[in-house]
Amino acid sequence: MQILDGKIASAAIKEKLKLIVEKRKAENKKTPHLAVIIVGNDGASETYVSSKVKTSEELGFGSTLVRMDADIPEALLLDQIKTFNDSIDIDGILVQLPLPKHISEARVIEAIDPAKDVDGFHPVSAGRLVQGLETFVPATPYGIMLMLEHFGVETTGKHAVVIGRSNIVGRPMSILLSSQHPFGNCTVTVCHSKTKDLASFTRQADIVVAALGKPEFLKADMVKDGAVVIDVGITRVPDATKKKGFAIKGDVAFEEVAPKTSWITPVPGGVGLMTIGALMMNTLKACERKD
Ligand code: GUN
């Protein structure tokens, strides 16, 4: 068993990005600038947003963070997006999800200029991904692809089972793994909450991507020997022994599954670390397109 270490792979990406930004600055080219909007004060969203802003700064990117109250009218959020769409300096726009119930996520995502859609959630970005066209790939599946590439994990001809069909992870992941790409070319099965006898699919999988958000769902008897297991889960589970009062749990029962695998991602320290690097890659791409 080998660990797909997010610390190692994300450090390599960040180092590469840092050098590219330094070179751009030396050549008087534009510095990539990410704008992030957070609505309300959900604890997990706060953590993600602050690490996105912190990483932007570490890499020499510009960053703007706008906080809005949980009860703001949707129209005000749409106005803020329009301001960022119209700003020459802002290259990428990210509205942290989930949003409060009274705001339509679909309308908000569609309001973002597809040229600045560094989350890759806009229907234009999703449609381009399906058609194999140049686009912004959502950060989590993109980060997983970068991780497979970093560690040289063979994917061509393998059977990948993706558990979860969200627009953020499962659906784009299934498209990437099946696409014509050196780390794609898989035969992909998508499983979800209505799948009958899900374990009968995961047991056939050479690669399992668990993205359903149920702590320690994937057990050893659901995985075949030598499989590659990618854990996308990051659920906060109450834990009085931790300083913060919670522990982060993945969707994979790591202790029992790991010995059966060829490669496995830990939680924390796996996929989560890759997503920010992938977001920064997208922000750089948005900026480079303007050159
Ligand atoms: N919430 C959880 N993951 C994401 C993400 O990748 N982007 C945004 N905008 N919100 C999220």
Side-chain angles (χ1 to χ4, degrees):
M1 180 267 292
Q2 288 178 277
I3 296 284
L4 290 163
D5 189 330
K7 251 184 259 158
I8 294 172
S10 69
I13 291 167
K14 285 198 225 167
E15 202 44 48
K16 184 171 134 192
L17 285 169
K18 222 170 162 175
L19 292 176
I20 293 173
V21 173
E22 275 169 18
K23 186 160 176 279
R24 288 184 68 82
K25 287 183 179 171
E27 291 169 353
N28 285 320
K29 289 186 175 158
K30 189 183 177 308
T31 303
H33 191 142
L34 174 68
V36 179
I37 305 175
I38 180 166
V39 183
N41 43 22
D42 172 72
S45 292
E46 288 277 359
T47 308
Y48 302 144
V49 161
S50 59
S51 58
K52 287 167 187 174
V53 171
K54 195 173 134 240
T55 307
S56 301
E57 284 160 9
E58 258 173 45
L59 301 184
F61 284 40
S63 71
T64 298
L65 173 62
V66 170
R67 296 176 170 281
M68 302 183 105
D69 292 336
D71 60 355
I72 51 133
E74 183 179 302
L76 271 188
L77 174 56
L78 297 176
D79 282 349
Q80 182 60 63
I81 292 170
K82 183 167 186 324
T83 304
F84 285 150
N85 282 343
D86 295 342
S87 159
I88 298 171
D89 192 40
I90 302 287
D91 300 300
I93 304 169
L94 181 148
V95 180
Q96 187 65 27
L97 304 179
L99 289 167
K101 293 261 177 306
H102 69 283
I103 297 177
S104 157
E105 283 188 0
R107 269 197 296 272
V108 167
I109 289 167
E110 284 196 60
I112 296 170
D113 178 351
K116 301 189 178 189
D117 175 37
V118 288
D119 253 332
F121 296 164
H122 194 288
V124 167
S125 305
R128 292 182 65 87
L129 183 69
V130 170
Q131 297 198 354
L133 301 171
E134 171 69 17
T135 188
F136 296 113
V137 177
T140 302
Y142 186 17
I144 292 170
M145 298 306 282
L146 292 170
M147 187 176 233
L148 294 173
E149 187 174 343
H150 182 89
F151 291 100
V153 177
E154 280 278 329
T155 56
T156 295
K158 306 278 171 156
H159 181 200
V161 171
V162 177
I163 315 171
R165 54 180 162 179
S166 71
N167 289 338
I168 295 183
V169 186
R171 187 73 65 200
M173 189 78 247
S174 67
I175 293 161
L176 288 164
L177 285 170
S178 65
S179 66
Q180 275 194 41
H181 178 278
F183 295 90
N185 294 318
C186 290
T187 303
V188 179
T189 302
V190 180
C191 295
H192 47 75
S193 54
K194 300 289 189 290
T195 299
K196 291 196 177 127
D197 193 9
L198 190 141
S200 70
F201 293 96
T202 55
R203 275 188 213 114
Q204 294 175 44
D206 303 306
I207 300 169
V208 182
V209 180
L212 70 164
K214 282 196 182 162
E216 303 189 328
F217 172 85
L218 195 79
K219 303 282 198 277
D221 64 356
M222 298 167 75
V223 175
K224 95 173 170 189
D225 282 331
V228 176
V229 173
I230 312 283
D231 189 349
V232 183
I234 35 162
T235 308
R236 289 181 171 198
V237 177
D239 184 341
T241 67
K242 303 273 179 203
K243 225 187 335 182
K244 290 181 177 163
F246 62 84
I248 301 288
K249 290 272 179 219
D251 289 348
V252 177
F254 185 90
E255 294 299 326
E256 59 177 272
V257 171
K260 290 186 81 174
T261 63
S262 54
W263 290 97
I264 187 166
T265 61
V267 174
V271 172
L273 295 175
M274 298 303 295
T275 62
I276 298 187
L279 170 68
M280 296 300 145
M281 295 274 282
N282 280 344
T283 307
L284 171 68
K285 188 198 280 187
C287 177
E288 284 176 340
R289 280 190 188 167
K290 292 181 179 164
D291 285 351

